[in-house]
Amino acid sequence: MSTTQDLLDEAKAANPKRAEEIYKQILAASALNASSSSADQTLRDQESAMISLAELYRDQRNAQGLAEVITLSRSFMSSTAKAKTAKLIRTLLNYFNDIPGSRQVQIDVLMDNIDWSKREKRIFLKHSLEIRLVSLQLEASQFKAALTRIDSLLTELKKLDDKMILTEVHLLESRVYRGIGNLAKAKAALTSARTAANAIYCPPHLQAALDLQSGVLHAEDKDYTTAYSYFYETFENMSSQDDPSALTALKYMLLCKVMLNLPEDVTSLLSIKLAVKYAQLREIECMRAIALAHQNRNLAEFEKVLRDYKDELSSDPTIRSHLAALYDTLLEQNLLRIIEPYSVVEIDHVAKQVGQGRQDVEAKLSQMILDKVFYGVLDQGRGCLLVFDEPEVDDTYGAAIDTLGQVSKVVDSLYAKTVKIA
């Protein structure tokens, strides 16, 4: 008669289908023997089979199968220590990260397990699962659902006064508010996160996340110098630990250099010791290409980089929004360079020179005139742009107003003196 260990060894050597059958057989047998004298060994066997089955589904990219393993694990979790329960479920949930397109399945699994942990009164597990759920809802741009969950979480956490989890939730709140464009509330939530973090020992990864979010919010305010310092702090702390946030911070550092009109600094930045190991990655190559296009003031080259590295540049909302602003600035600079020699120029000619559609160029020129970037009039009947010299400012009116103001003060002063004499 085969022992459980023999079955586990057989499963490792078997094909995926046979291995799946063996693991399910072990789990079914363990459930029947859970109350026997060898309960501890049964639980260990069950855990090994469960993790192996989850790994099998992960390798097969079977998100639904992995979800079923997590649901199946509840019977095991009911009979083991709560700390071990949290570790096991985190391990199982992490396997979803290697399965493409599994986000919605993971959200559904989390919501189901949150309800279960609430019924079982496993409060700390529930909070852990809810934090993970909010992170996924943020990635999926489900901002309303995320904020509702955060409000509920904050109400519970303030009663428990758990500063560590409170810091994480306020940080997530800041990221969600930033996602919907409410920067005032994003900054307020980040301040709350830092306040909670100051009351405890803040682990390096959490401190790095706070610094990264601070940099993002400063970048939104166009304060790229301060943002760069926060990103550098994150990069320096996390690069030695091979944390994924180090690569994100480095990308944002390069972005800040480009936005500060210092694209030539990108090459020197990538030559420093900490950055060398990232320099050949595609995520960094795309930022180097953006810097070069910006340095050359070449709109066509910039558009080519956006096309060639579409996945890397469009997947990150921070990079996407700032590059949109940079593209707009670059288009403005190109238009100014083209129209500078002319007093009258055809719009079709300008559009051809910048490689854009006439309608887009016309709308951009109209916006630039309204913003007083240059002075001119669009003659749509003739299809031309009339460019004027910058009008000289006549200070006569302003000087006259100032003079009258001074005269008024003198009259008031003389009147006050006459009142005193009388």
Side-chain angles (χ1 to χ4, degrees):
M1 183 178 176
S2 298
T3 65
T4 304
Q5 188 57 52
D6 292 337
L7 289 172
L8 286 170
D9 292 339
E10 182 188 343
K12 286 177 183 176
N15 61 60
K17 187 175 180 181
R18 174 61 184 152
E20 183 181 356
E21 290 173 359
I22 294 170
Y23 292 136
K24 286 183 176 179
Q25 180 186 336
I26 293 170
L27 290 172
S30 298
L32 291 171
N33 300 328
S35 59
S36 69
S37 56
S38 59
D40 288 344
Q41 183 59 47
T42 299
L43 288 174
R44 283 195 291 273
D45 293 341
Q46 191 176 12
E47 184 180 1
S48 297
M50 197 176 297
I51 291 175
S52 297
L53 182 58
E55 287 173 347
L56 180 68
Y57 286 139
R58 176 199 62 190
D59 297 339
Q60 292 178 339
R61 303 289 190 265
N62 185 350
Q64 202 57 53
L66 181 54
E68 288 170 9
V69 173
I70 294 173
T71 303
L72 186 67
S73 69
R74 287 179 189 169
S75 58
F76 171 78
M77 288 190 282
S78 298
S79 55
T80 189
K82 291 184 178 181
K84 194 170 186 178
T85 294
K87 184 181 177 183
L88 174 63
I89 199 162
R90 275 199 302 271
T91 301
L92 296 176
L93 287 168
N94 284 339
Y95 291 152
F96 276 110
N97 298 337
D98 299 319
I99 305 178
S102 64
R103 185 190 293 146
Q104 191 54 51
V105 175
Q106 192 176 353
I107 288 174
D108 294 340
V109 168
L110 282 167
M111 293 182 78
D112 184 39
N113 280 279
I114 287 166
D115 291 339
W116 173 81
S117 57
K118 189 175 180 180
R119 289 194 304 272
E120 295 288 316
K121 294 186 170 33
R122 298 199 170 205
I123 303 303
F124 291 103
L125 176 60
K126 172 179 170 290
H127 291 162
S128 175
L129 295 175
E130 284 184 307
I131 288 171
R132 193 180 187 107
L133 175 60
V134 170
S135 298
L136 287 171
Q137 289 172 331
L138 176 61
E139 288 176 17
S141 298
Q142 298 174 6
F143 301 122
K144 188 175 179 181
L147 282 176
T148 303
R149 183 73 60 172
I150 284 170
D151 288 341
S152 171
L153 253 174
L154 288 174
T155 303
E156 293 179 31
L157 290 172
K158 283 171 184 174
K159 293 175 185 175
L160 295 171
D161 197 33
D162 188 329
K163 300 291 186 186
M164 183 70 75
I165 300 180
L166 202 57
T167 302
E168 291 182 42
V169 175
H170 276 305
L171 178 58
L172 279 170
E173 183 185 22
S174 178
R175 292 173 60 199
V176 172
Y177 275 123
R178 186 253 171 183
I180 60 178
N182 192 333
L183 294 184
K185 287 194 174 182
K187 290 175 186 175
L190 182 61
T191 302
S192 298
R194 286 197 175 279
T195 303
N198 288 338
I200 55 167
Y201 165 72
C202 191
H205 74 276
L206 186 54
Q207 184 60 55
L210 290 169
D211 288 338
L212 194 67
Q213 181 65 3
S214 296
V216 168
L217 294 181
H218 278 287
E220 291 288 351
D221 285 337
K222 313 299 181 192
D223 184 2
Y224 295 108
T225 304
T226 307
Y228 178 87
S229 66
Y230 276 113
F231 294 143
Y232 185 80
E233 193 75 24
T234 304
F235 176 65
E236 192 175 39
N237 291 337
M238 291 294 102
S239 57
S240 59
Q241 300 180 31
D242 291 326
D243 193 283
S245 60
L247 177 59
T248 303
L250 179 58
K251 285 197 302 185
Y252 291 172
M253 285 163 63
L254 300 178
L255 177 68
C256 286
K257 287 294 184 185
V258 174
M259 299 306 292
L260 286 166
N261 287 320
L262 297 170
E264 61 279 359
D265 286 1
V266 166
T267 303
S268 58
L269 183 59
L270 289 175
S271 64
I272 65 174
K273 187 178 178 181
L274 291 174
V276 168
K277 64 179 178 180
Y278 299 100
Q280 302 307 316
L281 295 178
R282 190 171 170 82
E283 289 91 338
I284 300 302
E285 283 180 2
C286 69
M287 297 308 298
R288 189 190 286 118
I290 285 287
L292 186 61
H294 180 57
Q295 191 172 355
N296 296 336
R297 297 287 189 269
N298 191 321
L299 198 64
E301 187 180 339
F302 193 92
E303 288 178 331
K304 184 177 184 301
V305 174
L306 293 179
R307 287 194 302 272
D308 292 348
Y309 296 94
K310 184 179 178 182
D311 292 339
E312 290 79 10
L313 295 174
S314 62
S315 61
D316 189 315
T318 299
I319 290 178
R320 187 171 64 241
S321 64
H322 288 291
L323 288 187
L326 185 64
Y327 178 82
D328 203 48
T329 303
L330 201 56
L331 176 58
E332 240 179 52
Q333 291 172 347
N334 274 260
L335 288 172
L336 286 171
R337 179 172 52 80
I338 291 164
I339 66 176
E340 189 178 15
Y342 300 99
S343 57
V344 180
V345 59
E346 290 184 351
I347 296 171
D348 284 336
H349 172 71
V350 177
K352 185 178 178 183
Q353 289 296 309
V354 294
Q356 301 289 312
R358 173 182 169 143
Q359 193 172 355
D360 292 337
V361 169
E362 205 171 277
K364 184 61 184 172
L365 289 170
S366 177
Q367 181 195 330
M368 289 167 70
I369 291 168
L370 290 171
D371 292 342
K372 296 186 179 179
V373 176
F374 73 94
Y375 294 87
V377 171
L378 284 168
D379 187 339
Q380 291 178 316
R382 294 164 55 196
C384 293
L385 171 68
L386 309 178
V387 184
F388 305 144
D389 292 331
E390 186 174 343
E392 293 182 9
V393 178
D394 188 352
D395 293 331
T396 306
Y397 180 77
I401 293 294
D402 288 342
T403 304
L404 287 172
Q406 295 301 324
V407 169
S408 176
K409 288 178 183 177
V410 171
V411 171
D412 290 343
S413 177
L414 290 172
Y415 176 74
K417 288 179 180 178
T418 57
V419 170
K420 285 179 182 179
I421 294 169

